[in-house]
Amino acid sequence: MASFVIEGGHKLCGDIHPQGAKNEVLQIICATLLTAEKVTVNNIPDILDVNNLIQLMRDMGVTVAKEGIDTYSFQAENVDLAYLESDEFLKKCSSLRGSVMLIGPMVARFGKAMISKPGGDKIGRRRLDTHFVGIQSLGANFRYNDERGVYEITADRLTGTYMLLDEASVTGTANIVMAAVLAKGTTTIYNAACEPYLQQLCKMLNRMGAKIKGIASNLLTIEGVEELHGTQHTVLPDMIEVGSFIGMAAMTRSEVTIKNVSYENLGIIPESFRRLGIKLEQRGDDIYVPAQENYQIESFIDGSIMTIADAPWPGLTPDLLSVLLVVATQAKGSVLIHQKMFESRLFFVDKLIDMGAQIILCDPHRAVVIGHNHGFKLRGGNMTSPDIRAGIALLIAAMSAEGISRIHNIEQIDRGYQNIEGRLNAIGARITRI
């Protein structure tokens, strides 16, 4: 198990480039199964979750070629359907959250899929109902094999239908869209997720020959087609990394420019940091964060305490609440962080409290942060990363802290952040991997 040793208190200075978006690329790679033709994908991040999915595609018989530093081609011409029923395949799926998005493409194109309960972050229950109910509505049969602990899904030919999703799940919507593009007839999905990454998936599928209308809204209409073709696709920059870098600059009082962020796809993220008092400027497609000695949390117009809560797009992504919470520990003022969508994601705050942060954990969903206004620094600590986003939040805390910190189980950080210590050390951080 690897660890980071972080020497806190060093200022950052310079330019940093965000990687390709993890949450987008997992969908895009699964979608390459929908055609026998070659699909080329650019700006793929070199991170654990993505590399594991790429290897899984190879194991399934997909021809995968690395065509550049961050460019891969996928050709699912000879998929090994027998392998998809093997214990080895199912074991790999159980450790990879993104594997659940194989169901839609596999059932749509091959008429069957098998999947074990996927793993991933320990951030509370993450229901699969939206995926399963949506694909069942298209005519698939689901059977749970208790003996093997796997779901077996079969369908002769999926048929379009109207559905109203019980939650605007991003991966659930992606799975249903990928199934519906090859279904017979028209599928209407209401309360669909409409995140930029889902928009990217729909645009790519349309270039492949799909007929999807309503992209960027929560009402998608999909007219099924007989087959899809090859295409090229470029993955967006990762909005979670962009937000993480804004938080790092603020906490370390550093001057940082985040390059090529695809600003129009960041939604409410820049404004959420401004609400904590952080200055940032859009310069073309870059974000410039000036060095700030202090930043003050806004209040609501009536003077009540600021609340920052997650919500489905175009609301604030839950993946950034951990970062915003850490940044608030050194702001002037107080803020209520309300994590609505996952019930175990705030439990990492005990590690911040040990470092000297003033946080009241009200319940599994809400924490009140009382900012230090840089009155005193956090203390270096010894901690373990419970999930990807808490891991990066703890790293930000350690970079701003006094003394040496150690973060264990950094494989969780590696799942979502490419060569993070190398990129941060290049602009002034002191992080050692051991």
Side-chain angles (χ1 to χ4, degrees):
M1 186 181 286
S3 302
F4 279 148
V5 177
I6 303 105
E7 187 180 310
H10 293 281
K11 290 199 173 188
L12 311 177
C13 185
D15 298 347
I16 192 161
H17 294 260
Q19 67 189 27
K22 165 185 177 279
N23 290 344
E24 177 186 339
V25 80
L26 295 175
Q27 299 174 26
I28 295 298
I29 291 173
C30 292
T32 65
L33 287 168
L34 286 164
T35 179
E37 297 181 19
K38 181 175 165 182
V39 178
T40 304
V41 185
N42 306 305
N43 200 28
I44 291 182
D46 181 11
I47 56 177
L48 204 56
D49 272 10
V50 171
N51 293 339
N52 286 343
L53 182 58
I54 290 172
Q55 186 54 49
L56 186 62
M57 298 291 277
R58 286 193 179 103
D59 295 341
M60 292 166 63
V62 178
T63 303
V64 181
K66 188 169 184 179
E67 302 195 351
I69 294 173
D70 58 6
T71 300
Y72 285 81
S73 66
F74 302 85
Q75 189 160 4
E77 191 175 16
N78 298 302
V79 175
D80 183 355
L81 297 177
Y83 176 74
L84 303 182
E85 298 181 13
S86 69
D87 290 338
E88 181 188 333
F89 171 76
L90 295 166
K91 185 180 178 184
K92 287 181 177 179
C93 288
S94 68
S95 62
L96 180 62
R97 182 77 197 171
S99 65
V100 72
M101 287 182 290
L102 296 170
I103 296 174
M106 292 297 300
V107 174
R109 186 164 161 223
F110 302 109
K112 64 178 180 177
M114 195 175 279
I115 199 95
S116 53
K117 288 183 178 178
D121 293 322
K122 291 175 173 56
I123 56 176
R125 293 176 303 120
R126 299 176 80 176
R127 299 187 301 115
L128 297 177
D129 302 50
T130 305
H131 301 251
F132 288 5
V133 171
I135 294 170
Q136 274 179 317
S137 299
L138 295 170
N141 297 308
F142 276 71
R143 191 174 77 87
Y144 184 66
N145 185 327
D146 204 28
E147 192 177 317
R148 298 185 71 188
V150 300
Y151 295 98
E152 299 169 352
I153 306 104
T154 56
D156 293 331
R157 173 80 194 267
L158 299 176
T159 306
T161 187
Y162 170 87
M163 62 184 81
L164 173 58
L165 304 188
D166 70 330
E167 62 169 351
S169 163
V170 179
T171 53
T173 303
N175 226 343
I176 296 164
V177 167
M178 288 188 282
V181 290
L182 292 180
K184 185 179 180 182
T186 301
T187 301
T188 305
I189 309 171
Y190 205 5
N191 195 29
C194 53
E195 268 78 354
Y197 305 145
L198 201 283
Q199 297 173 34
Q200 285 280 95
L201 172 68
C202 291
K203 289 172 185 174
M204 184 185 92
L205 292 172
N206 278 352
R207 289 197 303 275
M208 294 168 70
K211 295 179 179 178
I212 305 170
K213 294 177 181 175
I215 297 172
S217 79
N218 68 350
L219 180 60
L220 294 175
T221 304
I222 303 160
E223 189 182 328
V225 296
E226 288 297 320
E227 60 178 356
L228 296 180
H229 309 287
T231 191
Q232 283 219 4
H233 180 79
T234 299
V235 175
L236 286 175
D238 196 313
M239 66 169 80
I240 315 304
E241 242 200 13
V242 172
S244 301
F245 294 149
I246 295 171
M248 283 176 192
M251 282 287 279
T252 58
R253 303 179 179 186
S254 302
E255 180 184 2
V256 173
T257 300
I258 309 162
K259 306 292 285 184
N260 302 321
V261 299
S262 187
Y263 197 93
E264 72 274 14
N265 286 301
L266 293 178
I268 204 172
I269 290 171
E271 190 55 37
S272 298
F273 283 97
R274 289 191 182 104
R275 289 168 78 185
L276 294 183
I278 296 164
K279 296 189 178 83
L280 50 97
E281 300 171 23
Q282 180 185 0
R283 295 184 172 178
D285 204 30
D286 303 340
I287 289 179
Y288 170 72
V289 187
Q292 268 183 271
E293 286 304 304
N294 303 90
Y295 47 96
Q296 182 166 350
I297 298 169
E298 294 177 2
S299 297
F300 284 123
I301 290 170
D302 64 359
S304 58
I305 186 172
M306 174 62 65
T307 300
I308 294 180
D310 58 343
W313 187 270
L316 179 65
T317 170
D319 285 350
L320 269 177
L321 278 190
S322 303
V323 172
L324 287 158
L325 187 150
V326 167
V327 172
T329 64
Q330 290 296 350
K332 181 180 181 182
S334 302
V335 63
L336 172 65
I337 302 291
H338 192 172
Q339 167 62 272
K340 297 176 182 177
M341 296 168 74
F342 302 106
E343 69 260 22
S344 303
R345 221 171 196 171
L346 294 180
F347 288 159
F348 80 102
V349 302
D350 60 342
K351 301 170 179 65
L352 298 175
I353 293 168
D354 290 343
M355 295 174 78
Q358 291 191 307
I359 303 170
I360 302 163
L361 186 60
C362 308
D363 55 42
H365 292 277
R366 295 177 301 160
V368 175
V369 185
I370 301 151
H372 292 319
N373 191 23
H374 289 291
F376 63 88
K377 287 191 171 184
L378 300 177
R379 301 181 294 270
N382 195 15
M383 43 210 154
T384 300
S385 171
D387 66 76
I388 300 175
R389 307 310 175 186
I392 205 70
L394 293 173
L395 180 61
I396 294 170
M399 288 167 64
S400 73
E402 208 162 46
I404 304 293
S405 297
R406 286 176 174 78
I407 302 177
H408 308 294
N409 193 30
I410 60 168
E411 287 81 4
Q412 285 285 5
I413 299 175
D414 291 337
R415 285 179 49 216
Y417 293 86
Q418 173 179 318
N419 183 27
I420 190 66
E421 76 275 22
R423 290 189 290 153
L424 293 175
N425 287 343
I427 58 171
R430 300 278 180 89
I431 305 167
T432 306
R433 179 184 292 261
I434 58 172

